[in-house]
């Protein structure tokens, strides 16, 4: 397996840039060269902006050299999932519907990342409107997994995960309505965190389901996610769901041990409710052993069956996504990709009673989760049933039946995917860590300590090293 | 043509759950009621393509209804004797 020495993390690059040992221009050129060399194999970008990125990098370098260093994202090349509005830059949601859409304003998170000094290399592949994919009937092909391009990336933040894993960008943005940050993170072997509902503004991010949508970062390491989340988080008075809760210093809370951390293992989610593969279970057990060795106290937690959370989340998702898309679907149904339209149209056939009952169950499940979290700091479970399937093995409805990530969209609590192994096929295996509402810092602490204690971060996809 | 998935039958009162099989004609009325303009051939194709997903969605709504407890009712709503109480 190849090593990652040649590809810096955000934290490593930031240290070099701050000490003026690494030029943002040179780093941006290196990323652009990697995109030129590798992206035709993984199709992670829908649009690149090399000239503009180099101009931004030159400006960043000038600022830094004149003593105006903004912080650890200054001069760092990133990408944005193509549902994040970018003023003057095409934003398509990977769809024919928005193929000529050029927003007039940035999304709040686009602006916050730019103000932190990031260099925007381009817009990244997604499933159509963060829902329909992987699809081959859209204006652009789906992203492919850098560990094996015949395999699925997970979705819908597919381009971001693939580009990070391949070392084309150092980090990027994603959104998560039913697992869309965590599944591509797991399948592509990167780290991605869905923060608490309300922690990060969604204004200017094309919606999928109002009460389930979350925005968050993906990067190579947990520490890098902490750096990105720091820039993205905060109250937005113009996002009705935004919470006015102070944002702690995420990076400062990272430690190499887990002393005092109580880990609840939701074993029935992945052993009986939806039994995952043997390799995945063995990897999770090994990871729990590492956490215990790092000082964590482990205990088993029982919740309602995974299928209750899945049914609740998916019915809400179908209803809300139909509400978002109904006007356009009435006019241009066949201009959507088949997978997108066939999923969203299900919402048109639900009744108001179905939606209301799902919301009632959601309240019930949230209270159950709140009770269960009283005696633990984080929950550990599986992210995906197995390593990444081949792209041609995917069916249009299987994700409905694999709701390992949906519980934390239903409850809105933070949840992160980290790599916990490699399968016999050489594909990443993932672990899910969820925390209490607005305690992303604890989730990040657990992921960071685990990553420091294991070798997975030093292993890049063979394609990334060449 | 009949579809084994239970779906949402159009009635004079509007869409409602039905445990009966769904016909293409009923499905076509539902699609029209949703305001989606499709040819007969495209409606038939959609009918064939989403049958499995509809079956899954149907099972989800049934599961939700079976799992609701009285505690999930907002306080101001009248609780029908024996209704929706799985606890």
């Amino acid at each position: 397996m190849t090593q990652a020495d040649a590809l810096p993390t955000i934290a490593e690059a930031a240290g070099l840039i701050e000490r003026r040992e690494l030029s943002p221009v040179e780093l941006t050129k290196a990323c652009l060269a990697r995109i030129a060399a590798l992206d035709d194999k993984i199709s992670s970008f829908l649009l690149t902006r090399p000239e503009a990125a180099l101009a931004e990098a030159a400006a960043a370098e000038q600022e830094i050299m004149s003593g105006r260093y903004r912080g650890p994202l200054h001069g760092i090349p990133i990408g944005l999932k193509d549902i994040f509005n970018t003023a003057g830059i095409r934003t398509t949601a990977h769809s024919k519907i928005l193929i000529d859409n050029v927003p007039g304003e940035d999304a709040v998170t686009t602006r916050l990342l730019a103000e932190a000094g990031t260099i925007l290399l381009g817009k990244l592949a997604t499933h159509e409107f963060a829902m329909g994919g992987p699809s081959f009937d859209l204006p652009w092909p789906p992203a492919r997994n850098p560990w094996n391009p015949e395999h699925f990336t997970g979705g819908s933040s597919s381009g971001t995960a693939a580009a990070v894993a391949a070392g084309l960008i150092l980090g990027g943005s994603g959104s998560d309505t039913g697992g869309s940050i965590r599944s591509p993170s797991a399948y592509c072997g990167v780290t991605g965190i869905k923060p608490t509902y309300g922690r990060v503004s969604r204004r200017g991010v094309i919606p999928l389901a109002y009460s389930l949508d979350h925005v968050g970062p993906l990067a190579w390491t947990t520490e890098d996610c902490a750096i990105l989340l720091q820039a993205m988080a905060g109250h937005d008075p113009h996002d009705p769901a935004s919470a006015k809760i102070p944002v702690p210093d995420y990076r400062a809370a990272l430690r190499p041990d887990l002393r005092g951390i109580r880990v609840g293992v939701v074993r029935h989610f992945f052993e009986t409710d939806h039994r995952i593969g043997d390799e995945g279970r063995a990897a999770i057990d090994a990871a729990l052993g590492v956490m215990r060795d790092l000082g964590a106290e482990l205990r088993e937690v029982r919740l309602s069956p995974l299928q209750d959370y899945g049914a609740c989340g998916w019915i809400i998702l179908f209803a809300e996504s139909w509400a978002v898309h109904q006007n356009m679907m009435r006019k241009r149904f066949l201009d959507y990709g088949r997978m997108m339209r066939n999923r969203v149209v299900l919402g048109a056939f639900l009744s108001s009673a179905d939606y209301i009952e799902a919301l009632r169950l959601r309240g019930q499940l949230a209270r159950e989760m709140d009770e269960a979290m009283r005696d633990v700091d984080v929950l550990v479970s599986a992210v995906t049933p197995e390593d990444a399937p081949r792209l041609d093995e995917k069916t249009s409805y299987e994700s409905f039946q694999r709701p390992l990530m949906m519980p934390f969209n239903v409850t809105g609590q933070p949840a992160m995917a980290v790599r916990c192994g490699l399968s016999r096929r050489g594909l990443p295996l993932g672990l899910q860590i969820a925390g209490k509402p607005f305690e992303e810092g604890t989730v990040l602490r657990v992921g960071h300590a685990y990553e420091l204690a294991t070798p997975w971060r030093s292993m890049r996809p063979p394609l990334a090293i060449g | 043509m009949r579809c084994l998935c239970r779906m949402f039958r159009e009635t004079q009162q509007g869409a409602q759950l039905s445990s009966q099989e769904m016909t293409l004609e009923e499905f076509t009325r539902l699609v029209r009621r949703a305001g989606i303009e499709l040819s007969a051939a495209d409606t038939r194709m959609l009918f064939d393509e989403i049958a499995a997903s509809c079956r899954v969605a149907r099972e989800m709504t049934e599961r939700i209804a079976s799992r609701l407890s009285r505690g999930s009712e907002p306080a101001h709503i009248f609780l029908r004797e024996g209704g929706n109480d799985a606890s």
Side-chain angles (χ1 to χ4, degrees), chain A residues 109-387:
Chain A
T109 41
T110 301
R111 176 176 56 77
L112 290 172
L113 288 167
E115 288 174 353
T118 59
I119 311 301
L120 179 60
L121 298 189
K123 305 298 289 292
L124 296 160
T126 167
H127 291 175
E128 187 177 20
F129 287 102
M131 174 74 154
S135 295
F136 291 87
D137 58 353
L138 304 177
W140 301 270
R144 290 175 175 271
N145 195 316
W147 294 86
N148 183 337
E150 296 302 313
H151 285 248
F152 185 36
T153 53
S156 62
S157 305
S158 47
T160 312
V164 168
L168 310 187
I169 52 176
L170 278 65
S173 66
S175 66
D176 191 318
T177 307
S180 286
I181 287 174
R182 289 161 287 160
S183 98
S185 296
Y187 280 157
C188 293
V190 306
T191 302
I193 182 165
K194 177 195 82 65
T196 311
Y197 187 75
R199 177 57 99 189
V200 175
S201 171
R202 303 163 315 161
R203 187 156 55 103
V205 179
I206 295 169
L208 175 58
Y210 305 111
S211 76
L212 295 167
D213 288 344
H214 300 66
V215 164
L218 298 88
W220 186 245
T221 67
T222 297
E223 183 179 23
D224 287 358
C225 280
I227 292 168
L228 286 163
L229 183 59
Q230 197 75 52
M232 298 167 79
H235 179 239
D236 173 12
H238 300 292
D239 177 349
S242 182
K244 201 169 187 177
I245 293 178
V247 180
D249 185 336
Y250 294 124
R251 202 175 174 196
L254 302 180
R255 292 166 53 178
D257 67 80
L258 294 177
R259 284 194 291 272
I261 296 289
R262 300 165 300 170
V263 175
V265 185
V266 198
R267 199 168 281 282
H268 67 91
F269 273 7
F270 59 93
E271 287 199 342
T272 53
D273 297 351
H274 188 100
R275 188 173 175 81
I276 65 170
D278 292 344
E279 285 186 301
R281 276 185 290 114
I284 291 173
D285 282 337
L288 291 169
V290 171
M291 291 179 188
R292 184 189 290 113
D293 292 344
L294 290 169
E297 176 193 330
L298 307 187
R299 60 182 70 173
E300 193 153 336
V301 168
R302 284 205 70 84
L303 297 164
S304 288
L306 186 61
Q307 287 77 6
D308 288 4
Y309 286 92
C312 177
W314 279 105
I315 293 300
I316 293 170
L317 200 161
F318 292 144
E320 294 186 359
S321 62
W322 172 250
V324 169
H325 285 279
Q326 58 174 329
N327 290 335
M328 189 61 77
M329 282 218 162
R330 285 179 180 131
K331 294 177 201 159
R332 300 179 60 184
F333 189 76
L334 295 175
D335 282 342
Y336 286 88
R338 185 180 59 81
M339 201 173 282
M340 172 70 183
R341 65 185 187 239
N342 286 4
R343 287 178 176 177
V344 172
V345 77
L346 295 173
F349 305 146
L350 292 173
S351 70
S352 54
D354 295 325
Y355 182 62
I356 296 297
E357 290 198 339
L359 293 179
R360 286 175 55 201
L361 182 61
R362 183 184 209 171
Q364 201 172 302
L365 294 170
R367 284 190 291 277
E368 170 194 79
M369 183 70 81
D370 189 45
E371 183 72 26
M373 293 295 295
R374 285 186 188 175
D375 296 327
V376 297
D377 299 299
V378 295
L379 296 176
V380 166
S381 58
V383 194
T384 56
E386 71 289 292
D387 60 5

Side-chain angles (χ1 to χ4, degrees), chain A residues 417-435:
Chain A
V418 297
R419 196 191 330 164
C420 67
L422 284 175
S423 70
R424 283 186 292 275
R425 300 195 291 185
L427 296 166
L429 298 167
L431 176 75
Q432 182 166 222
I433 305 165

Side-chain angles (χ1 to χ4, degrees), chain A residues 24-25 28 32 49-62 119-120:
Chain A
V25 173
T28 300
L32 290 170
R49 52 194 297 273
E51 295 84 7
L54 285 169
E56 288 174 6
E61 188 163 313
Q62 195 170 26
I119 311 301
L120 179 60

Side-chain angles (χ1 to χ4, degrees), chain A residues 308 330 334 342 349 364 397, chain B residues 8 34 42 49 63 67 69:
Chain A
D308 288 4
R330 285 179 180 131
L334 295 175
N342 286 4
F349 305 146
Q364 201 172 302
Y397 61 92
Chain B
F8 309 90
D42 288 333
E49 287 179 353
R63 173 175 279 270
R67 302 297 289 181
S69 70

